Amino acid sequence: MATTSSTTSSTSTSSGLGSLNFGSGASLDLDKYYSQLEAAEQSKLATYDTQKTSVETKISAYSTIQSSLDALKSQAEALTADNFQKSATATTSAVAYLATATDNSISGTYDIQVNQLATTQSNASAKVSDKTSTLGSGTITLQQGTGDALSISVTDASLVGVRDAINSAKDSKGNKLNISAAVISNSDGSSYLTVSSTTTGSANAFTISATGDSGLTDVVSNMSVKREATNAQFSVNGVDLEASSNKVTDAVPGLELTLSSVSTSPETTTVATNTSDWETGVTNFVSSYNSFLSTMSSLTQYNSTDSSDTGALVGDSGARTIRSQIKTLLSNENLAKLKDYGITAISLDKTSSTKPAGTLEVDSTKLQQAMKSNPEGFKTTLAATDGKSGIMNQIVAKVDEIENSKTGILTTNTKTLNDKVTAITSQKERATTASEYRLKMYKQSFTKLVQFKTTMDTQIESIKAQFEALKKSS
C-alpha cells in the first residue's frame, strides 16, 4: 500500500523563516507575511518623517523670510548713512585745498585762493656741546597767547632735563600745555633745544625765558624764533578771510576746507545738490522691498490645482503678521508722502505672481525733481537724523522688533517649529523601539509555529512507521 508523507520544508529568505508546506501543494509563506508586517510598521514610522519634513520646510521658509528682512533692513540703513544725509556734494580739482560738503551746504560756485597757511611757532636755542651736561638750576617761564604765564622749576638740569620739564609741565587746571620741546642732535655730538606750539594761529604765539644760573638762562632766554605763528589767509570769491587753523569750517556755510598749500590763482569748487547717492539708495531700497513682498507671496500662496506650487507657509499666521507689519509701513500716510517723490504702489489691476499687491515703482524723473527742489524735506520723510522718525528708521525698528532674539515673532515661531522637530524625533524614536519589539514578537511567534509544525510532522511520521511495522508483522 502506497503511503503519502507530509513534510516541512524551509526556504531561506531575508527573515530566515521560510515557508510551511502542508502537502498537496498547500503552503504558508512566512517570509511574505513577515515582510508585510514589517512594511506596515515602516509605513507607520514614515508618517513621522513626513511630519518632520513638513516642519523643517517651514523652518527653512522662515529662514528665507529672515534673509529677506535683513536685506530690506540693510537698504533702509543705507539711506540713513552719512552719504545720504549730506544734501550736497563738493566737486573740485583744487590742489591747494580739499573741499568737503556737509549737511548745510548751499549750492553754488566758489573761487578760492590760498595766500598763506596757518603755522605753529617754533624756537631754537644756540648750539650746546653736550646735551647731558648740567646747565644749572632756575625757573623757566612760558606764556602762550593771552593765557597765564606758567613757571617751571628745574634743578641741575641738562638740555635733556629742560626738554623733559617743559613736556611734563601742566597748568593750574592740570592740563598739559599746547607746547612741546625736543632736543635735536648734530653729527658732531652737539645739540639744540627746540620749543614749538602744537596749535596753529597767531593767537597761539608764545614767549619763553628763564631766570637762575647763567648756563640755563643763556640757553633758554636767548632762543630765536625760527617760525612764527601765523593765521591762514585765503579768499573766497574775492573776499579776503583769515582763520587760525588750516581746517576752515565757517567761511562758507556747509563747506569744509582743508588748506594744504599756497596757490597763485583762485581754484574753483562747485557745490551741488546730492541726488546720485539718494537715487541709488532709493532704487536699491525699492528693489529690496519688492523682493520681500515677492518672497512672502511665494511662501504663503495657495494653488488648488497644483499642490507643488503651494507655499510652505500657506495659512501660517506668523508669516501673515510679518508681511502685514512691514507692508503697513509703506501704505496709507507714508505711501502718500512717498508719492510726492515719484514712489508709488502698483494698482490692483496690474498685480501678478511676480508683482504682488503693494509692489513699489519709482518715477526717476519725478524723484530727481523732488530731491532737488526739497532735499531737506526728502531727508526728513525717509530718514530723519533723530534715528526714530522717517520711514527708513521705522522699517529698521520694525525689523529689529520682528527679529528680536527673545520676543520677536520670527524668533518665537522658529523656536516653536524647532521644538516640534525635537518632539517628532523623540516620538519616532519611541515608535521605532515599539515597532522593533513587535517585529521581534512576530518573528518569535512564526518561529514557534515552525517548530510546532516540525514536531507534529515528526510525530506523524513516527506513528506511520509504527503502523507500517505492525502490518509487516501480521
Side-chain angles (χ1 to χ4, degrees):
M1 179 179 182
T3 60
T4 303
S5 63
S6 175
T7 60
T8 302
S9 63
S10 176
T11 303
S12 178
T13 63
S14 59
S15 66
L17 293 171
S19 300
L20 291 179
N21 296 320
F22 299 100
S24 302
S27 66
L28 181 64
D29 190 342
L30 297 182
D31 278 327
K32 176 182 177 182
Y33 288 118
Y34 183 83
S35 296
Q36 291 175 346
L37 290 170
E38 192 175 40
E41 293 294 336
Q42 290 298 325
S43 178
K44 293 177 184 178
L45 295 178
T47 60
Y48 293 103
D49 292 332
T50 302
Q51 293 173 19
K52 183 178 179 182
T53 299
S54 175
V55 176
E56 288 176 336
T57 299
K58 290 183 178 182
I59 293 174
S60 177
Y62 267 107
S63 178
T64 300
I65 292 176
Q66 182 169 2
S67 296
S68 185
L69 285 172
D70 288 343
L72 180 64
K73 177 184 174 182
S74 177
Q75 295 302 331
E77 287 177 330
L79 288 175
T80 66
D82 290 342
N83 65 326
F84 178 78
Q85 291 301 326
K86 291 178 181 178
S87 57
T89 55
T91 304
T92 183
S93 58
V95 175
Y97 63 88
L98 174 67
T100 306
T102 59
D103 290 350
N104 301 316
S105 297
I106 299 175
S107 297
T109 301
Y110 304 94
D111 293 327
I112 301 171
Q113 181 171 348
V114 181
N115 300 312
Q116 176 178 289
L117 294 177
T119 58
T120 58
Q121 180 180 335
S122 182
N123 291 9
S125 71
K127 181 168 62 175
V128 176
S129 60
D130 186 354
K131 64 183 178 183
T132 61
S133 296
T134 300
L135 299 176
S137 302
T139 301
I140 300 171
T141 301
L142 278 168
Q143 183 174 17
Q144 187 171 32
T146 59
D148 296 334
L150 178 66
S151 297
I152 305 170
S153 296
V154 295
T155 303
D156 295 331
S158 62
L159 201 64
V160 172
V162 172
R163 176 200 66 190
D164 294 343
I166 293 174
N167 288 337
S168 61
K170 295 181 180 180
D171 61 20
S172 58
K173 296 181 180 179
N175 300 317
K176 285 194 173 184
L177 307 179
N178 292 325
I179 292 175
S180 66
V183 172
I184 301 174
S185 299
N186 206 343
S187 59
D188 62 2
S190 60
S191 301
Y192 301 83
L193 175 69
T194 62
V195 178
S196 306
S197 59
T198 56
T199 49
T200 59
S202 58
N204 292 306
F206 65 87
T207 59
I208 182 170
S209 60
T211 58
D213 294 337
S214 59
L216 177 67
T217 59
D218 287 346
V219 170
V220 176
S221 296
N222 295 321
M223 297 183 78
S224 58
V225 178
K226 299 298 183 181
R227 183 178 64 232
E228 294 185 352
T230 60
N231 287 339
Q233 296 179 357
F234 59 101
S235 64
V236 178
N237 290 345
V239 178
D240 291 331
L241 301 169
E242 283 195 23
S244 62
S245 171
N246 289 317
K247 188 171 184 177
V248 183
T249 59
D250 54 2
V252 179
L255 187 62
E256 185 178 282
L257 300 174
T258 302
L259 311 182
S260 58
S261 62
V262 173
S263 55
T264 57
S265 59
E267 296 176 297
T268 302
T269 290
T270 301
V271 178
T273 302
N274 175 21
T275 60
S276 177
D277 287 342
W278 290 5
E279 184 175 2
T280 298
V282 169
T283 301
N284 289 342
F285 170 77
V286 167
S287 176
S288 182
Y289 177 76
N290 289 343
S291 177
F292 166 77
L293 289 184
S294 180
T295 295
M296 297 305 299
S297 177
S298 174
L299 292 174
T300 58
Q301 69 182 355
Y302 173 71
N303 190 325
S304 60
T305 59
D306 184 2
S307 60
S308 64
D309 194 39
T310 295
L313 296 176
V314 61
D316 186 274
S317 61
R320 289 199 305 270
T321 299
I322 292 172
R323 177 174 57 185
S324 175
Q325 289 181 349
I326 295 296
K327 195 174 177 180
T328 297
L329 296 177
L330 287 173
S331 59
N332 303 327
E333 182 181 352
N334 281 342
L335 187 59
K337 294 178 181 178
L338 292 176
K339 187 177 180 180
D340 294 335
Y341 298 95
I343 304 171
T344 58
I346 64 173
S347 57
L348 289 176
D349 61 326
K350 293 183 179 180
T351 60
S352 65
S353 59
T354 57
K355 288 186 176 182
T359 298
L360 299 180
E361 293 181 324
V362 180
D363 183 332
S364 296
T365 301
K366 190 173 183 179
L367 175 63
Q368 291 176 4
Q369 291 174 345
M371 288 188 295
K372 290 178 180 178
S373 63
N374 186 16
E376 291 305 313
F378 185 64
K379 285 196 302 182
T380 301
T381 298
L382 261 71
T385 55
D386 61 4
K388 296 180 181 179
S389 57
I391 297 172
M392 296 303 109
N393 287 320
Q394 293 172 21
I395 288 177
V396 170
K398 180 56 67 176
V399 172
D400 285 341
E401 177 187 322
I402 292 171
E403 295 184 347
N404 184 280
S405 60
K406 293 182 178 179
T407 60
I409 186 171
L410 191 68
T411 304
T412 55
N413 280 23
T414 301
K415 181 180 182 303
T416 298
L417 292 171
N418 280 319
D419 289 344
K420 282 185 178 180
V421 170
T422 301
I424 292 170
T425 301
S426 297
Q427 291 169 7
K428 183 183 178 182
E429 288 174 354
R430 292 193 297 271
T432 299
T433 300
S435 176
E436 289 173 348
Y437 177 78
R438 284 193 296 272
L439 288 172
K440 180 181 178 181
M441 292 298 100
Y442 294 150
K443 197 166 188 178
Q444 288 179 354
S445 297
F446 285 170
T447 300
K448 289 179 180 179
L449 179 60
V450 171
Q451 292 172 346
F452 174 75
K453 179 66 167 58
T454 301
T455 300
M456 292 300 296
D457 285 346
T458 301
Q459 291 177 354
I460 290 172
E461 291 300 324
S462 175
I463 293 172
K464 286 181 177 180
Q466 292 175 15
F467 274 116
E468 290 297 328
L470 287 173
K471 286 181 180 180
K472 290 179 180 179
S473 61
S474 60

